[in-house]
Each structure stands twice: as C-alpha cells, then as structure tokens.
Amino acid sequence: MRKIKLFVLFSLFSTIFFGQTTIKGLVSNKINESIPYTNILVKSDSINIILTYTYSKENGEYVLNINKLGKFSLTFSSLGYKTQIIPIEITKETKIITKNIVLKEEAVSLNEVIIQAEKLITIKKDTVVIKVSKYIKLNDVTVEDLLKKIPGVTVNSEGTIKVGNQEIEKLMIDGDDFFERGYKILSKNMPPDQIEKIELLQKYSNNKLLKDIEESDKVALNLVLKDDAKRQWFGNFSLGYDVTFNNRYSAKSYLMNFGKKNKYIFLTNFNNIGYDVTGDINHLIRPFRYGEPASIGDNQSAYTVLNLNSFTPNFKASRTNFNNAELASLNAIFTLSKKVKLKTLGFFNWDENDFFRNRTQTFTTNGTDFTNTEDYILRKKKFIGFGKIDLIYDIAKTKTLEVTTKYNNQEDNDNSNLVFNTQQTIERLNSRNTLFDQKITYTNKFKTNKVFLLTGRYIDEKTPQNYTINQFFYQDLFSSFPNVNNVQQLSENKMQFAGFEAHLLDRKENGNLLEIQFGNQYRKDNLLSSLVLKEDTTVLETPTAYQNNTTYFSNDLYMNTKYRVKLKDVAITGKLDFHQLFNQLEQNNPEASQTKQQPFFINPKISFDWEINKKNKILASYAYNTTNAKILDVYNNYILTGFRSFSRGLGTFNQLDASTLNFNYQLGDWSDKFFANAFIVYNKNRDFFSTNSLITQNYSQSDKIIIKDREMFTVFTDINRYFKTISSNLKFDIGFSKSNYKNIVNNSDLREVNSTNYNYGFELRSGFQGVFNYHFGSKWTTNKIKSTINNSFTNNVSFLDLSFDFNSKFNVQLQTERYFFGNTGRENNTYYFADLEARYKLKKNKLTFSLSGKNLFNTETFKTYSISDISTSTTEYRLLPRYLLLKMVYRF
C-alpha cells in the first residue's frame, strides 16, 4: 500500500512541475464582439500533427498548455469566419504567449463545410454533445463505467446518474426511451463500445409539446450510436467462472437492432458474484415525477406491514450481496405508421439473496436496561414479472394521445434462521404484489405558447402477506395462553386509485408563465390483519386487539394555480393549491364505527430565482403544506411489524402542517473548471407523528401519537475544481444536519431527542490520455444522539483506484478501499479491501479475455456501530469470500 501511495505522489508532482508554456488570448470579430466555441489547434510545423486543441469560451477567452519546444502553427476556425493561422515559436525561456485574434466574416454554404478537427464537447442551445472516443477505455464494460469518466456526470455506488447535482430523467438510445426512471437496467448491462456520442439534454421535457413552454430544470442523457451499429443486429455475450472453484459465475448477453421502423433491445444477466443487475426496480415499475404535468397518481402505491431486513449501512452493497440473480429484459419499439408508435417492455427477474448478521443491542431508557443478542441468517427469494405497453398517437403536429398500461406480479419468499438470546427461531414471510396501472394523456398545443393536457389514471394494487414464527416471545402480553408455541399473522393492503386532471400552461410573450390545474383524486384502502396464536397447528386465540379491518376512503378535489414573473435577471413564482377533502373511515365494524370528515385547506408557496450573472445564481423558496393522513396512520389495533415489534395507528383522521424554507447558491456551472453548490434547508413541523412505546427484552409495542413542533436544519456544499495542469478534477463535499423530535418510552414524560450529523470528504480523479489514471478520496461521517443518554461515533471510508492502459489491447485496474468504524468495541476496527481486473483484447472488436479478482485480502466479516435514542448496537456482517473470475467476452 505504501509503494502505491508513493507512486501516485510521484506521478502527481512530476506532472505539476514539468515545464510547459501557456498560450492564451481572446477571439473576437471586427466590431469587438466575442466569438464563442472557436476551434483552436496547435500543430507541429515539422510533422504536421495536432499536438493539443481547445475552443473559446462564451466570452471568447481561450487557454492552451503545451510542453514541447520548437516552431508551431496556431489555427483559429469558426463557422461563418475565415480560418486564421498564426506562426509561433516556443523556447526554453517561453512561459506565456498571448494572442488576441480578430476573425473576418466569411459566407459559407453548410454543405461545403469541411471540419478541420472535431471538438470533444460542443454546445448547441440546451444540448451538450460529448464525443466518447477520448473517454472510453478498455476496462469500460458497461455504459455506467463510461459515464463515470464524462465531465460533469457522476454515478454513485447504487448506479444513480447525476449531472451536477441533478439526477437524470431517463437514459435514451438514439432519442428513444425504453426504461424511464428504471434506466439502471440499461446502464448496468449495455456495453459502451457502439456509442459514438452522448447528448446531455438540459431543460428537458418528458412531453415534447411542452418544450420551451414549461419551466424545466430536468436533464436527460441520449446515447447516439455509431452509424455501423444502426439497422443491423449486434451485441455480445460474456461468460465467467471462478478459477478458485468457489462456484462463482457470471453470464451476460446483449442483443440490439435499431432499424428505421423497429428497434429492439434484449438483455440477460445471470450472476452470483454480488452484482446488482437492476438497481432499485421500483424506478421502473413506479417512476415518480413529483409536480410534473400528467404525473397524477405517481405517488400512489399500496403498503406492506412486514419486511425481513437485510440492510447493510455505510458499506459497498456488492461485498455483502450473496446473490443468485437471473434477469431477462425484452424491449421493442414499433413504428406502426408516421403517426403511431408502440413501445413494449417485458422484464423478468429471479433472485436469491443470503444475508448473515450477528448483533448485540443494549437498551438503556427510563430505568430499563437489558441486552439482546441475535445470530441472524436470512434467505430471500424473489420473482418479478413486469410488462408495459405504451401507445403514442400523434394526432397532428400539435396533438398527441398516449396510452400506457402496466402489469406487475412480484412474489417474495423469505426465510430466516434466528438465534435470539440463545433461543432458536425460524421466521417465514411469503409476500405478493399485483399491480394494474392504466394511464391516458391527451396533449394539445393549441397555440404556439399554450398547451392543454388532460390525464386520467386508474391503479389497482394488492399486497397480501403471510408471516409465521415458531416461537412465542409475548407471554407477558398473552399470559392466559401458556401453551402457545408459534404465531401467524395474515395481512393485506388492497388499494384502488382513480383520478383525472386538466392542466393549462400559458407562456406569455414577455416570458411569464401561467399554470392552472384542476382535478380529482380518489383513493380507497382496505387494510386487513389477523394475529393468530397457535399450539402446533391448533388455533388457541385470535386476540381482538390484534385484528384489523380498516377501510379508508379519501377524495381530493383540487385546483392548483401558479404564476411565474420574469423581471430581467430575477424570476418570482407564486403558487396556491386549493384542496377540498372528503374522508371516510370504517374500523372493524363499519356500521358501528364509520366517521366522515371534509377539511379544506390551501398550500401556498413562493420561490425566487436570481441569475446575478452567468456564473452566479441564487434560488430560494418558502412553502407551507398540509398533508392528509394515510392508511398506516389511521388503523386502530396492533399489527406485528417484526418478530418482536407491534405497532398501532391513531384510529382517526388527521392532517399535519409543515413549512419548508430552501436556499441554494450556485457558482459556475457543472461544465466549468470551477463549480460550487450550496444548499440550506430548514423544515418546521407544526405537528408530526411520533410514538408512545413500551419496550421490554422480548417485545415492544408502539402507539402513534401527535406531537407539536419538530425542526430539521440541513446545510450541504460541494465544490468542484478542474486543474488542467494535472488533468484532474478535485471535489469537496461538506454537510451538516441537525434535527429534534419527541417521544414517550416506557411511561416516561415527553422526551426530547436531538440528532446531529456531520459529513465531509474529497475526491481527486485524473483524466490523462496516457497509460496511467487515478481516482482517490476519503469521507468522514459523525453521528451524535442526545436524549436521556448521549451517544456518538465517527466512521471513515477511503479509496484509491488506479488504472493502466498499457496499449489498445491490455488494461489493468486496481481498486482499494479502507473502512474505519468507530466505537465497535474491538481493537481492530479498520478493514482493507483490494479488487483487481486485467483485460486483454485478443481480437479487435471481437474477443476479449479478463481476469477479475474481488476481496483479494479475503476479509471475512466487518463490524459496525450504530446508535438511537434508546439503544446502541454493534453488528457484524459476513462478506463474500475472495474469488478470481476468468471471463470471456465475444462481440458480434
């Protein structure tokens, strides 16, 4: 490790202090107007090759660096101007050359333009076009790997893609979208070698008729294929097996055809090496676009009351993911006519996950002290079958009709082997989700700057669950039944949603925007739960206080109004949402316990945008919101939510009030050499749901209660700086959050709990064009809890990634990680990991072999420390053992 660090430092310092000459200046026309995006090339006079290049900024400025001596030609070319060539000479004494250039206008026929040298990045209004030839490397197996190298684009450990700090809306191919917010299926499985360009679409609109009318800050990515990849079948398949004979394997295939009329993408992925092939699949099944036109119903879904947990905090998920995943995705787009397009998507995912955890948890609250131990082994089996049909009919150039139908069927069978305080326990949870979703949207751009949308949607979803546990930990609750030796709970949430919405957008000639929405949303929930106490297979009791049959009707008749005023560099937006609710609640015996409510409320919001100049921007907003209670807030009897946890709702209607203040300052843009972003968020809950809990060693019971006043304050800043002298990008992240809430534990008085979090870190990533590249960084996180007891801990994660492109055929990548976990109660609370991948291209564009080694130090477990207002926990997790995967990739 020490040698690696010395090598990195040597590379950095040798690059920084190598002598070089800076060429800079300003490009303008004869009337002294700046000429942006001018191509500027440096060519050697002796061998006539391009040594370096750049393009002028929006203000006409340019800067070039060159580390060679001799005579050169400096070439300036821009569309509509005559090319100008300036001779320069660089000697050992030359440090800075300043050349201010005035270009002469020249009439040019577009079909006669000869491109002298293509820029890597070009900007066309709201579209940034990035040529990938200089970014793609031999070790880039998926689109996700390539995107990590694109300037301004980040991909986190879960596969979420962001441009700057904004998550992308979708990842398209040649302008067509297959997966919406479920884009990770594409980015994690598609190889990047057939991509020519990436288009970054700013101010993006999901509805093409809303472009330049709606006020959008959304971004999307479009992958542009090479010409030889279009209108023909192409793809690849890969096979890998563990040469250490630990029975680890990976098999992937990708098949694609983008013809003029029909387009197809077929994906398969089978592996048990911990690789997550889908990301969060809910982004595909239930894409959520809050506040967007035609997004009615996006925030509606049924609930489940139980989940066998396999969460691993502050750690790379692939190291603890004992999986056996199988994925098949069949996707097609058919152009039925010039006006009609049909999109079909079929998605099938099978997975088996094993999870291992040992935990010691110490409770200290209100005079109650005890310690629980758990040795937990969980196996989760999952099947998802999802289908989607999207019919798009362009009635005219200004009118479209879109009909979307979705069906999802998911089955989960989870089994755990739990040793709780030395007592052997087996849990079984069988869950199912069935979803039918139908949506129709009509869009009419009836004037150049006016659009009317009409949307209707119907959703039907069911989530039945069957939970059993072969032990009885609740003797103190049910002392009348000493012979009980196992427990069963049946539960289900049946949800139906129906809604319509009319939406008018009117962009005024002065740039102001008026929006009016009118609609109605109806939702019906039926929550059923039944706790059964058994002796073997004999039912002894179904306790009344642990049975639920709650039906909750909520009808929201609303009108939302918004007006945005643009005053030069300042924009002010006012928003008023009017809601008339019609609520009805039926508990257990509908005839005896039916209650109704008809509250009316207004949610106001005001926001402020100030573009001080092209480099400085301020955004601020204040909102006051009233929200309606949900089904999991209003049921009136207890439900088993974990093997030793019961919860109960309020049993009545409630609306909660909160206000939020946001402030955001942006310095520069994600494409600039320096870019900084600062966020401040203050949230004040006038009232909020909390708990009144009874906690014992064998069980806990929590009742929802409403408490007044809760606050949360968050500050986050990220700073990005690109250093051209070392071709590297430096990033700093600094965050702070503080919140307080109140609860009751074991008949205590109302307790105030204060939580504080600090996090700070940095990353440095190189973008050399040579053999070697690096990426290293470190992040610290500190958590503090203060209530009747005080607890805190600090964790650190550091990493160093090195890649070596020895030639066009051979590449090696080394990834190392260091984890430090505070307060674990053990002397060795630091863990090291190393992964190595070597790839050799045997036949260009055809056959590649690779050797991938994971967890080379063969670390078997790691231990973390966590805190809450009532307990401290030390938890040990099992890790995937070391393996070496020999893989073959064949492209056709």
Side-chain angles (χ1 to χ4, degrees), residues 465-480:
Q465 290 187 303
N466 184 357
Y467 174 77
T468 59
I469 180 171
N470 73 336
Q471 294 291 346
F472 186 57
F473 295 114
Y474 328 122
Q475 293 89 347
D476 293 343
L477 283 175
F478 307 103
S479 56
S480 301

Side-chain angles (χ1 to χ4, degrees), residues 405-408 434-438 458-462:
T405 303
K406 295 188 288 188
Y407 179 78
N408 180 64
T434 56
L435 167 70
F436 175 78
D437 186 351
Q438 178 82 59
Y458 174 76
I459 303 173
D460 185 278
E461 188 173 11
K462 301 179 180 67

Side-chain angles (χ1 to χ4, degrees), residues 62-76:
Y62 72 92
V63 177
L64 279 165
N65 291 301
I66 185 171
N67 55 14
K68 296 184 181 298
L69 306 178
K71 294 182 178 182
F72 307 95
S73 296
L74 193 58
T75 302
F76 298 83

